[in-house]
Amino acid sequence: MVVKHSHKECSSSLMAVRDALDVVSGKWKLQIIISINTGNHRFREIQRSIPNISSKVLAKELKDLEEHELIKRTVYDDSPVLVEYTVQPYADTLDDVIKALYDWGIQHRKKILKK
């Protein structure tokens, strides 16, 4: 169903979607959140759980997610120093988005593989 919007409503919708995409854009951020949420809390665990992500990209994406208050980085002053990442409660607001993308991805894969 296509709903027609006024120019102002369209601009507002575009801005909201752009803001959301600025936070979760790219192919890595949601995968990182899912990885941490499923028990991978250390850098190497996260990296191993996500195929083809480089250390440099993972470090940048973790920093971005921390700045947006979706994950928390905790440094334990042990020897050697231990760094853990945990999902913040605010990340739970993405659950419906992740579920919708998951469902769509399953449906899309089935459609494409039928060809």
Side-chain angles (χ1 to χ4, degrees):
M1 174 163 101
V2 177
V3 178
K4 294 202 176 206
H5 296 285
S6 69
H7 178 70
K8 184 177 179 180
E9 290 171 325
C10 180
S11 294
S12 178
S13 295
L14 290 174
M15 185 182 306
V17 170
R18 187 173 46 240
D19 289 346
L21 289 175
D22 283 346
V23 176
V24 296
S25 66
K27 63 182 183 179
W28 304 115
K29 287 188 177 87
L30 291 179
Q31 291 184 71
I32 292 167
I33 290 170
I34 292 167
S35 176
I36 295 170
N37 216 19
T38 56
N40 300 302
H41 298 286
R42 310 236 355 238
F43 187 92
R44 291 285 174 230
E45 292 172 344
I46 299 165
Q47 187 177 18
R48 280 189 219 111
S49 73
I50 302 172
N52 302 318
I53 191 168
S54 69
S55 295
K56 182 179 177 180
V57 170
L58 177 57
K60 179 200 171 298
E61 299 290 16
L62 285 167
K63 185 176 179 180
D64 287 350
L65 290 168
E66 186 179 11
E67 287 174 0
H68 288 287
E69 301 179 10
L70 295 168
I71 65 168
K72 180 180 180 183
R73 180 179 186 264
T74 305
V75 179
Y76 296 99
D77 197 21
D78 292 339
S79 182
V81 173
L82 174 66
V83 178
E84 285 190 341
Y85 297 91
T86 52
V87 175
Q88 293 290 86
Y90 183 51
D92 293 343
T93 61
L94 290 170
D95 285 351
D96 290 341
V97 173
I98 292 170
K99 174 76 169 100
L101 286 169
Y102 170 84
D103 290 344
W104 188 89
I106 295 292
Q107 173 191 341
H108 180 67
R109 180 174 292 270
K110 286 178 185 175
K111 177 181 174 66
I112 296 303
L113 291 178
K114 283 182 183 178
K115 290 183 177 182

